[in-house]
Structure formats: C-alpha cells, structure tokens
Amino acid sequence: MSQSSSENFESDSALATITMADLEKKVEQLSVSGPAIYVNDTKGVDESSASGAQDSPYKTPAFALYSHPDAQIKVFKAGAEGAEGAYEDISPSALKKAKKGVDGLVKKAEKAKQLEASKADREAAEAARLEAAKKITITEDKSLDKPKLIKIRDTTENRGPRVKLFGWVHRLRTQKGVAFLVLRDGTGYLQCVLQGDLANAFQTQNLTLESSVAIYGTLKEVPEGARAPGGHELVVDFYEIIGLAPSGDDAITNKVQEGADPSYLLDYRYLTVRGETLSAVMKVRASFLRSIRRVYDELGMTEITPPCMVQTQVEGGSTLFALDYYGEKAYLTQSSQLYLETVIPSVGDAYCIAESFRAERSHTRRHLSEYTHIEAELGFLDFETFLEHIEEVLCRTVDYVLADPVAGPLVQELNPGFKAPERPFMRMPYVDALEWLNEHNIPNEEGNKFTFGDDIAEAAERKMTDEIGKPIFLTRFPLEIKSFYMKKCVDDPRVTESVDVLMPNVGEITGGSMRIDDLDELMAGFKREGIDTAPYDFFIDLRKYGTFPHGGYGLGTERILAWLCDRFTVRECSLYPRFTGRCKP
C-alpha cells in the first residue's frame, strides 16, 4: 500500500478518538520502561496495518508517537558503508519535532471525523430530499387555458398568453425550490423557470442535458438588471419528458468535451452540431445560400441542376474520383461548368448550387474532398464586365446576409467587427503579384524568388492578402498553370483572362475566367493538356453552333463561410466534412 499518512489517520477511527490532552500527558510520562516502537524511514509505512515492531516498523517518528504515546521510539540509523545499521533511541531534538508532527496529525484526524459526520448528515438529508421528491407528481392543471403551440422564434409576440414549446434541454441548473432550464428548439434559446414542486420533483432532479421535452407556461419579461435570451423567460406551469438523455459516462458532456481531439469530435459531429458555434455557422450558411439565390434571381439568372456523375474532367485528371458506371468509366464531377455553358443559348445566364468532388490529398485548412460549389456562366460580356458581375454578386449577397435578422447577429457574434467588402475590389495582375511578393521577401515553394510561370501557393497568397487587407481580384494567370478552356488575353497570349478572388483571413474564395469561344483555340487547349476529346462532343459543338463570348466562375461555399464567420478551417463550415481519410459519419 502507498496511501499518505493523513489518509490513513482519517480512516482509522480508533486513532481519531485520541485527544491532544491525552497525547501531551502520555508523552510527558514517556520513560525507558515503556514498550519499544520502531521507525525506519526506508522500509517503514505510516499505516494502521503496521505494528511498530522491528519487523513491521513505522516510517516517521510522528506517526509512531501518535499511535503509541507511552512507548520508547527506536529510530533506524544506517551504518557506514557495508554495515547494516541499527535501531537507536530517538534523540531529544527528533522527539521534539515528532511532538509537533503529532499535533498536526491529531488536528487532521479531528477534522476528518467532523467531515465524516458532516458527510453523513448531508447524505441523510439528500436521501430524505429524494424520498420527498419521489412523492411529487407533476401533473397539468386542466383549469388553465389551452396553450398555443409556438417556436422560440415566435416568443416575443406571444408574451402573456399560455404557450407550449418543444425542444431540448440545452442548459440546466437546479437548486432548492427553483430550477433554471435553457430550452433549444433550433430557432433560438429560451430560459425557463421551474418553481416549487416542479423544481423539487424527482423528475426534475434527474433531468439531463439534451433530453427532449414539451414545456408549458407563460412568457414574462425578465426583471430589470437580469439577462436572458430575448429579454424574457418562460414561467413554467407544466412539462413532460419526451426522450430522457443518458447521464453518467454517456452524458453529452462526457461524449463531446470542449477541447477534445478534432478527429474525435468529428466522429460525434451529430452531437457537436448541437453546440452554439456550429449551429450558428449552419444558420449563416443557410442564409448565405438563400441570399445568393435571391441575388441571382434579381440578376435574371436561371438555376440549373446538372449531373454529378460525368465522364469529363475540368480541373485535371489527378483529382478525379473514378467509379464504374454500368461497365463504363465515370467520375464524380469536379465542376458543373461545362454543362452550365451549354444551357446559356437556351435559358440565358445560368447558375447552379451543387456538390463538387476533388480527390486532392490535401490537408490544408481550406480544402475539402466534397464541397458545395456555386457556379455561374454568363454570355456576351467582356472581362471587365465579368469582374464587375462577381463584385456585384459577392457584395450584394453579403449585404443580404448581414441584414438577415437571424444570420446578421450571428455573423457579428462569430466574427466581431466584420464589415462588408467595399467596391471596387483591388485589381492586381499576376505579374504585379510576383513583384509584390519578391519586394516583401516572400519566397516561392522552392524557397526562391518568384519568376513568371510559378504557381502562387496558398501560404504566399494568404500573406499577401492579409497584409494588403482588402479584397483582391488577382488576374491574368499564365496559360500553362490554368485550365485548358481559359481564354488568352489579346494583348499578351502568354496569360489568360482569369481571376481569383482573394479575401483577408481566408485567401481564395472564387476562381473564374472568360472561356475560349474559338473552336481551333479550344482544340489546341485539349491537345496541350493531352485530353481525349471523345467525351467532350457536347462541349465542342457549343463552339460550332453559334459560338459567343462567355465567362464563368465558381465559389466555394465553405471558404466564403470561413471568411464570413471567422473560422480557422473550412471543415467548421461543412455539416459532415469529407477530406482525406474522413468519410464518416
């Protein structure tokens, strides 16, 4: 055994009966005629299991004196090198020190005795309280008005009359005669006050977080100086449990603890999504998608629902997820761009909101293997008009999100001080970006100065964007680092009419370009990239049957949300993020 001496004293009721007066008297009577008690600080133990005999010594003189006040104390003294050592009478100075140690041990024992008695009293009181609680039955008073069923979002206009709500126990604090419960129903949070028998009932004493309940009562403004969500609280007159959540080891607070390993929390995403932060991001996400659809509708654009299973590539064959499609090779789409281009002659400017898939083995904080891709294609416009359109869509959409009565406050809560981007965005050609990076001693991926043709990797791009501190249209990328379908600039055929939209704190959120509308130039692009043109007949024919100037872009929903909500990674902006090694739950 290896308990501390204080623990042993507190558990030894026989020793705890000794008083300081007894000890002082017996110590004064200490004589050489008393029994010998042995102390060995190497082999001894300060436990009631030891006897103090030479073959069962104590560890300290204080414990020996405490256990045997009228004994001779023999202390083991180690011998010289090679000698075994021997027991000797305790020295006067050591005896004096031991007496002081006994004083502390007696006080600890007395305190332990008091604590034990206090604990017993508390346990008895708790048992009595629970017995009384079990006798309380929660029943609805049928003489009360029939309640109106509402959601928490509707509480402000329903103060006064009796109401009923369904939801989950988000927080709970119980005390004698009153319990405070925060209800969550997905539309908001509501403080509920239970008093008297409702608070004291066994049902309430055993209520757990995340239990689902139906709760009845009247909404009242909180007293002056008090705070609660919405400025009011529900004075409860009845409630019933619909689904009691587990307690103990399986309680929600043990399943998903703040600060746990991110991979562990992702395993329990279906529970962590109930938290205030992640649920807030999901609400902002819903508002963003609703708002951008509104903007596209105001701009006269048509929503299209293209296929997700394709036989073509858009962003390079190395990032395709392949599948067997009835004996043919097919892929999960990287982009719906090619299909959107084909519908412009029939429905006009078009957009889609669909999932895209990239088999990138990338663990950066802005990459996912599946993400919600907002894409648009527009006809009969030039590059500058194209950039102005992207500006309009982004700025107007953000304005609508911030004006949303639910999402707007959540953005400010998640990202205090966030301000909508101002127009016009900064225009920065690729070659100017290289010059800026070199002037600020930011190297390329090889650690060298940037030269024409280098890809600007995420880290360098982020540093530049964060230091400049405003939205940037990064334009005119070299032909060899962009996709086969991007149109060359007339004034410099080395570069393309392409753009990445960069935002502070997140980097690239949008990428797009004017599309090649000349058939020969498109076929040259296929050849340059080594792409078999057989699956692209539909795309090639678009250039035969009435070709026209057009451009398009794609927005990563999760990246825009990371910017709006100030999230460190896009994984926080997806309900069930998919990335290398993660395809569950």
Side-chain angles (χ1 to χ4, degrees), residues 167-188:
W168 292 264
V169 179
H170 189 66
R171 292 195 188 92
L172 180 64
R173 179 165 56 91
T174 60
Q175 54 196 63
K176 188 176 181 180
V178 64
F180 296 94
L181 181 158
V182 175
L183 186 74
R184 182 191 74 245
D185 72 350
T187 72

Side-chain angles (χ1 to χ4, degrees), residues 239-301:
Y239 85 96
E240 52 192 334
I241 297 173
I242 296 171
L244 184 66
S247 58
D249 290 344
D250 288 331
I252 185 80
T253 48
N254 289 326
K255 280 285 186 184
V256 286
Q257 296 180 352
E258 188 175 348
D261 181 85
S263 293
Y264 175 86
L265 293 177
L266 283 172
D267 289 340
Y268 291 95
R269 188 73 157 192
Y270 54 91
L271 294 179
T272 59
V273 75
R274 301 182 183 200
E276 293 175 25
T277 298
L278 191 50
S279 63
V281 173
M282 291 301 106
K283 290 177 182 178
V284 175
R285 179 186 176 104
S287 175
F288 172 76
L289 292 174
R290 185 167 59 247
S291 298
I292 201 165
R293 279 192 168 97
R294 176 182 172 185
V295 171
Y296 283 139
D297 187 56
E298 291 170 350
L299 295 175
M301 299 176 67

Side-chain angles (χ1 to χ4, degrees), residues 14-25:
L15 295 179
T17 60
I18 298 173
T19 66
M20 277 302 299
D22 293 333
L23 280 164
E24 289 173 1
K25 183 177 180 181

Side-chain angles (χ1 to χ4, degrees), residues 169 172 181 203-209 211 213 239 241 244:
V169 179
L172 180 64
L181 181 158
Q203 172 178 303
T204 304
Q205 298 301 312
N206 286 273
L207 192 59
T208 49
L209 296 182
S211 293
V213 296
Y239 85 96
I241 297 173
L244 184 66

